[in-house]
Each structure stands twice: as structure tokens, then as C-alpha cells.
Amino acid sequence: MRCRFCNKELRQLFVSLGSAPLSNAYIKKEQLARKEPLYPLDVYVCDNCLLVQLPEFESPENIFSDYAYFSSCSETWMRHCEEYADKMFKDYGINKKSRIVEIASNDGCLLQYFMRKGANVLGIEPAVNVAETARKKNVPTETAFFGARTAKRLACEGKTADLLIGNNVLAHVPDLNDFVQGLSILLNPNGMITMEFPHLARLIEGRQFDTIYHEHFSYFSFLTAEKVFFSHSLVIFDVEELPTHGGSLRIYVKHKNDGTKPISERVHKMLDKETKSGYADITNYFAFDEKVKKARCELLSFLGKIRYDGKTIVGYGAAAKGNTMLNYCGIKNDLIDYVADISPHKQGRFMPGSRIPIVSPDRIRQTKPDYILILPWNIKEEIMRQLSYVRDWGGSFIIPIPELEVIR
């Protein structure tokens, strides 16, 4: 087993979360009698480049060709997308003449805001069902996996990008070098790439083990991300810390020989901050496994106690991260009656591994549970606002990450 960036042998275990099914492989009722395939959820850190990564047990084609995640289901994410489009037009010179290409464009959630401003857009989305939803919104979308081959084809068709966007896709590509090479090919000489991805520092410091699942092949510090892009003659010239997904980075990238974009002081500060925090030292990575075990014990102890006391518990948000949490902790419907989710694409199905039924949020009003475990804790404010009525009967919210918290 070798590092997907530098090809060195992987020897150092970062964390082991046992075995689990694919987190987005939601189960239909007629599939309940079938055995689910389970894959090791063991994460390694390369002792050469410090890229944290999962081995590839399942192909991207099998994971992403029919996908259950639709960006537009989250109000928080929709607002984030609109603010980003506004920022690109206001601060970075993007205009109606610019060509904007988004990789892993999902259901067109982001590109629709650029279209409203009159920009020329193109989405590249591998999931057939999700891409079709985007096209129904009139967002031009190609169904393809992105890499050097796709980039060369698009470049030959004259579809190079002034702004090339990748939000929460960098972690999803097993062939990392081919993907970043594709970015370099598709970007215009003075164009700009922005990539958003969960920040490894926030994952470690916030005990965010549930953001680890098989669809995420890699987890990036800023130090490692800089190495990856520089190896393909791409330079990070700015960086922002974002609150999305429990703490993300947005990096701004240019061609190495593009002299129009100076290196921001924020780049130097981020490199210095991560170095001083120990992310250039592999020994800093070894304590995470014990942090995760402690988090599991705390959650199971709390849920077991309130269930023993005769209280009812349900989950909210059939998110991929929730499946990692449920399966690693061994939580099934003897502890949680059901999981409510706003997405009609998930309702009527069952959570992979735990087999907990997924229902409409209307069920919460009907059953009046004592506690609601918020699985996508990164949008807890949005969810608690939507479910504020549970306080009418004294219901409480359980926030499992970064620290176990009960909000009444």
C-alpha cells in the first residue's frame, strides 16, 4: 500500500474505525435481507509527505455514479454558495465574459448563482442522477469523472477556465496527481483555481472522526496541500479559513509562471501556524486514535443512560458522516428509533450498516422524542432552528462533536 501522492510505502496508522459499508449506500426496503459489503476504515499518514489517506477499496465509479447527496438540501450551504459567487464578482474580477467551470458541481447549487449574474458556466459531475437534476435547472453539466484526460478534451474544445472551482472534491479523488494535473491543464494562463476542503487541523483538534468515510480518500493539512499543487507547477497564493463542514480551507491557486497574483501574507501565516502546531511532525498525528476512542465511549455511555431511563432518542440528518458515527459506535435502532431527513431521495430507505429507518421530519412532530441526536453537527444551528418546535414538549438536542453537548 503506497501513498497516492508521493508513492512511498504507507506504514503509519492514523486511526482505525473498524469496518463499515459505504456511507452513501442507503438501503432500500427490498435490500434489507441482503448482506452489505464491509470495508476496513483504517486511515494512514504518509511519513514522507504527511498526507492522511484511506486505501482505495471501491472504485469511484461504484461510489459516485448514483449519489445520494444533493447540495441544495442545505440552507447553510446554499447561502455559502451565493456569498462565494458575490465575492468572486466583487473582489476577483470575474464578470460576464469569464468562463467558470466547477468540478463535482452536484445539482448546480453553486453555478446557478453565477448564471444569474450572466456568466458562462460549465459543471462537471460524475453522478448521473445528480447531474440530471442540475440540467433540469438549466445548468450546463457534463457527466464525467475529472482528471487529465477529461481536462485535455475540454481544453481542445475551447472550454478552458478563467475560474476553476472544486468544493469538497479534492478528498474524493483516489488518483490525486492525475486530478491536480487536470486542473493545471484546464486553467487559463492567468486564471484562478479555488478549492475548498475540510481542514485536517480541525479534524484532529475537534475529534471529527465522523468526517472519515470511504468516499473521502485524502485529508489535507495546508502544508501537504501546498506540496501537492506545487508538484504540478501550481502555486497557492491565498488561503481562507471557513466554518463549513466543521472547519475548512479555501485555497486560491495560480499557475507557477502567473505574475499577476502576489502571494498573500495569509499563506505565510498559515504555513507558520501549522508548523508551530506540529503538523510538520508525524508524531503529532499519533494521538488521534485515542481521542476517537474516548469520544465513542462518551457518546455510548450517555445514550445508554438516557435510554435506560426510558427516554426516546431519534436522529436527524441521514448524512454520510452520521453513518460513520453510527457504525463505529455500534449504534442501531435499539438506541435510536429512526433518523429524520429532509431529502426525499433518502426517505423510505435505511442507514447503511445500522439499518435505522430514514423518515420524513414530520415523524418528529408525531412521536415527540425526548432527544434528537444531530448527526450533521456542522449545520446544527440550521437544524435546531428548523426543529425549534421540539421545545414545546421539552425535547433536547444532542451534539456529538467536537464535545458531547446537550442543548435544551
Side-chain angles (χ1 to χ4, degrees):
M1 193 163 45
R2 308 190 78 82
C3 175
R4 60 176 41 91
F5 169 50
C6 70
N7 202 37
K8 299 294 184 181
E9 184 180 357
L10 294 176
R11 296 176 294 183
Q12 303 291 347
L13 186 68
F14 175 64
V15 67
S16 177
L17 301 177
S19 294
L22 297 179
S23 280
N24 280 297
Y26 297 92
I27 301 168
K28 298 177 182 178
K29 187 174 182 180
E30 60 269 23
Q31 297 173 321
L32 284 173
R34 301 179 192 173
K35 185 177 180 180
E36 293 174 83
L38 301 178
Y39 306 93
L41 203 49
D42 293 336
V43 188
Y44 293 83
V45 55
C46 177
D47 54 15
N48 180 57
C49 67
L50 300 180
L51 177 64
V52 174
Q53 57 200 288
L54 268 169
E56 181 183 351
F57 290 105
E58 187 58 272
S59 70
E61 288 77 11
N62 286 341
I63 293 174
F64 298 113
S65 293
D66 183 22
Y67 206 43
Y69 176 72
F70 289 77
S71 299
S72 297
C73 287
S74 169
E75 294 174 8
T76 302
W77 185 252
M78 294 280 284
R79 187 165 57 252
H80 176 75
C81 290
E82 185 173 16
E83 290 171 354
Y84 169 82
D86 289 343
K87 182 183 181 73
M88 291 300 106
F89 266 75
K90 180 183 177 183
D91 298 337
Y92 288 92
I94 299 302
N95 54 54
K96 293 181 180 180
K97 295 181 180 180
S98 305
R99 176 177 285 110
I100 294 102
V101 179
E102 184 184 10
I103 301 159
S105 52
N106 202 264
D107 60 4
C109 172
L110 172 57
L111 289 180
Q112 65 184 343
Y113 294 110
F114 283 99
M115 287 180 65
R116 291 176 190 176
K117 296 176 181 292
N120 179 6
V121 308
L122 174 65
I124 303 170
E125 170 55 50
V128 175
N129 61 321
V130 181
E132 183 58 31
T133 299
R135 285 190 284 267
K136 287 178 180 177
K137 299 178 183 177
N138 297 316
V139 179
T141 306
E142 288 204 17
T143 303
F145 283 92
F146 185 78
R149 183 177 178 180
T150 297
K152 288 175 183 175
R153 174 177 62 80
L154 292 172
C156 287
E157 295 171 1
K159 296 177 180 177
T160 53
D162 299 302
L163 174 60
L164 188 51
I165 307 167
N167 289 342
N168 303 304
V169 62
L170 193 61
H172 289 77
V173 290
D175 194 340
L176 184 59
N177 288 306
D178 178 70
F179 181 85
V180 179
Q181 182 187 357
L183 296 176
S184 180
I185 292 168
L186 196 58
L187 184 66
N188 279 333
N190 290 329
M192 176 176 69
I193 300 167
T194 71
M195 305 290 291
E196 294 180 22
F197 51 87
H199 190 189
L200 179 66
R202 302 286 79 75
L203 183 153
I204 291 175
E205 292 159 19
R207 306 194 303 179
Q208 298 173 8
F209 68 90
D210 57 337
T211 60
I212 295 170
Y213 40 92
H214 296 103
E215 290 89 332
H216 286 172
F217 295 104
S218 304
Y219 305 83
F220 295 88
S221 66
F222 185 73
L223 287 161
T224 298
E226 188 195 43
K227 293 176 187 175
V228 171
F229 282 86
F230 191 77
S231 72
H232 293 277
S233 297
L234 294 168
V235 174
I236 300 175
F237 68 89
D238 203 358
V239 59
E240 290 180 87
E241 294 185 87
L242 307 172
T244 52
H245 297 284
S248 298
L249 294 180
R250 177 189 289 154
I251 58 173
Y252 295 77
V253 182
K254 65 176 183 175
H255 283 295
K256 184 180 178 181
N257 57 1
D258 176 3
T260 66
K261 303 173 182 68
I263 306 296
S264 166
E265 181 63 24
R266 292 191 292 191
V267 169
H268 304 297
K269 287 182 178 179
M270 181 62 70
L271 291 170
D272 186 58
K273 179 181 177 181
E274 285 200 347
T275 301
K276 287 180 177 176
S277 297
Y279 292 100
D281 181 357
I282 194 170
T283 59
N284 185 59
Y285 296 73
F286 296 153
F288 186 65
D289 193 67
E290 284 302 317
K291 287 184 180 180
V292 170
K293 291 174 182 175
K294 182 179 179 181
R296 177 178 59 182
C297 290
E298 289 172 355
L299 181 60
L300 281 175
S301 176
F302 179 74
L303 294 181
K305 181 182 184 305
I306 59 178
R307 193 66 159 174
Y308 181 80
D309 290 341
K311 305 296 183 180
T312 54
I313 312 167
V314 303
Y316 189 92
K321 58 163 40 81
N323 287 319
T324 293
M325 179 170 292
L326 296 175
N327 286 310
Y328 174 64
C329 295
I331 296 170
K332 299 184 183 299
N333 63 0
D334 56 342
L335 281 177
I336 294 179
D337 295 340
Y338 58 80
V339 173
D341 195 279
I342 198 172
S343 172
H345 304 283
K346 296 178 182 179
Q347 293 167 10
R349 297 196 179 192
F350 296 79
M351 303 286 273
S354 65
R355 306 296 182 96
I356 298 172
I358 305 169
V359 303
S360 165
D362 294 339
R363 182 75 67 85
I364 293 175
R365 289 186 185 272
Q366 297 166 6
T367 61
K368 295 180 171 57
D370 298 301
Y371 291 90
I372 298 174
L373 174 64
I374 297 181
L375 296 171
W377 48 264
N378 53 300
I379 54 171
K380 63 183 180 183
E381 288 84 6
E382 174 185 331
I383 292 170
M384 288 190 293
R385 186 171 61 252
Q386 292 172 349
L387 302 181
S388 59
Y389 57 83
V390 306
R391 295 188 173 95
D392 294 345
W393 61 80
S396 301
F397 298 101
I398 303 170
I399 314 300
I401 298 291
E403 300 290 339
L404 184 62
E405 180 183 11
V406 177
I407 299 176
R408 303 189 187 280

